[in-house]
Amino acid sequence: MHITQLNRECLLHLFSFLDKNSRKSLAKTCHKLQEVFQDPLLWSLLNFHSPAELKKDNFLLGPALKYLSICWYSERVKVCNIEDWMKNTFQKDFCNRHENTVSGFLLEVCNRCPNLLSLTLSGCGHVTDDCISGLLKKCPNLKTLKLENCVRITDQTLEAVTLYGGSLQTLHVDFCRNITQTGLESVREKCPSVRVSAERSANMIPDSKPEKKSTLEKALRKSVQL
């Protein structure tokens, strides 16, 4: 039996075992397999391992998407996690190449995937509070939000959770150094049903520019003198 003689259900099951590139390659072989590739039922789950993968055309975004994961564990993540004012010219140039890649992709998710249930972001150093807030508003069914090593995430995201995360059941903000204990306590108080994890977050030193640190030190010295 030729593969194209299988019914639609069998073909979808077969495609489900393939990665995105393999699905795209198989879809190019004939019109029938291209139709299977474009079936929304095939794209309820998407996993990405670098920002570069988000720019490919080997997947589909749509209302069927339920589970999304963007996890970047490359050594290059360390560059994105450096405070902006400490980056040298080379590091800034590197970041500029993909600074809006993940945020732009998540904007597409907001507009096209309202039924999203789970989002995991790891090592996405350029994702901002506004980006996550917008997603919480547009994806009201979101039950799981896991953010790991996302250095631009602050207590503003935690506040957005209390305002728009009505369906949220699980919240992880692990290794997000600009999250504070005050923000976490607010979430636990206002959303007691949400399971919160903040490994190495509230105990880490938040980012602050040198001039801000200097001002704070002067204020502390003055208060001590008084």
Side-chain angles (χ1 to χ4, degrees), residues 15 22-31 33-34 37 57:
F15 266 75
S22 298
R23 290 178 183 181
K24 183 68 175 181
S25 297
L26 186 58
K28 291 179 179 180
T29 59
C30 74
H31 180 70
L33 295 180
Q34 177 66 24
F37 176 83
D57 63 348

Side-chain angles (χ1 to χ4, degrees), residues 16-183:
S16 70
F17 290 99
L18 304 177
D19 60 31
K20 295 188 289 295
N21 286 331
S22 298
R23 290 178 183 181
K24 183 68 175 181
S25 297
L26 186 58
K28 291 179 179 180
T29 59
C30 74
H31 180 70
K32 183 175 182 179
L33 295 180
Q34 177 66 24
E35 289 182 346
V36 176
F37 176 83
Q38 295 175 340
D39 193 316
L41 294 177
L42 189 62
W43 302 103
S44 62
L45 182 151
L46 282 172
N47 294 316
F48 299 94
H49 303 289
S50 78
E53 293 184 17
L54 303 176
K55 298 180 180 180
K56 296 182 178 181
D57 63 348
N58 58 1
F59 62 91
L60 294 181
L61 277 183
L65 183 63
K66 300 292 181 64
Y67 307 94
L68 173 62
S69 171
I70 306 173
C71 298
W72 195 21
Y73 298 117
S74 167
E75 285 294 313
R76 298 178 181 181
V77 173
K78 295 179 180 179
V79 176
C80 300
N81 288 342
I82 298 173
E83 293 87 339
D84 289 339
W85 64 90
M86 293 182 63
K87 291 175 183 174
N88 58 37
T89 302
F90 173 79
Q91 291 167 332
K92 288 180 180 179
D93 180 63
F94 170 78
C95 286
N96 287 337
R97 296 177 189 176
H98 64 267
E99 182 170 7
N100 299 315
T101 301
V102 178
S103 296
F105 182 81
L106 290 178
L107 180 60
E108 288 294 312
V109 172
C110 288
N111 295 329
R112 299 163 63 179
C113 311
N115 299 312
L116 191 68
L117 297 178
S118 175
L119 173 65
T120 298
L121 301 177
S122 180
C124 299
H126 299 295
V127 172
T128 64
D129 295 312
D130 289 341
C131 184
I132 301 301
S133 296
L135 190 135
L136 286 167
K137 293 178 184 178
K138 294 293 186 67
C139 302
N141 299 319
L142 194 69
K143 296 182 182 300
T144 301
L145 176 60
K146 295 183 177 181
L147 307 174
E148 178 186 284
N149 202 15
C150 297
V151 296
R152 294 193 180 184
I153 296 302
T154 73
D155 286 356
Q156 291 182 37
T157 287
L158 300 183
E159 183 178 0
V161 165
T162 65
L163 295 174
Y164 314 115
S167 299
L168 208 63
Q169 298 175 354
T170 301
L171 172 66
H172 288 196
V173 283
D174 299 329
F175 294 89
C176 296
R177 64 174 178 251
N178 290 301
I179 292 293
T180 71
Q181 191 63 45
T182 300

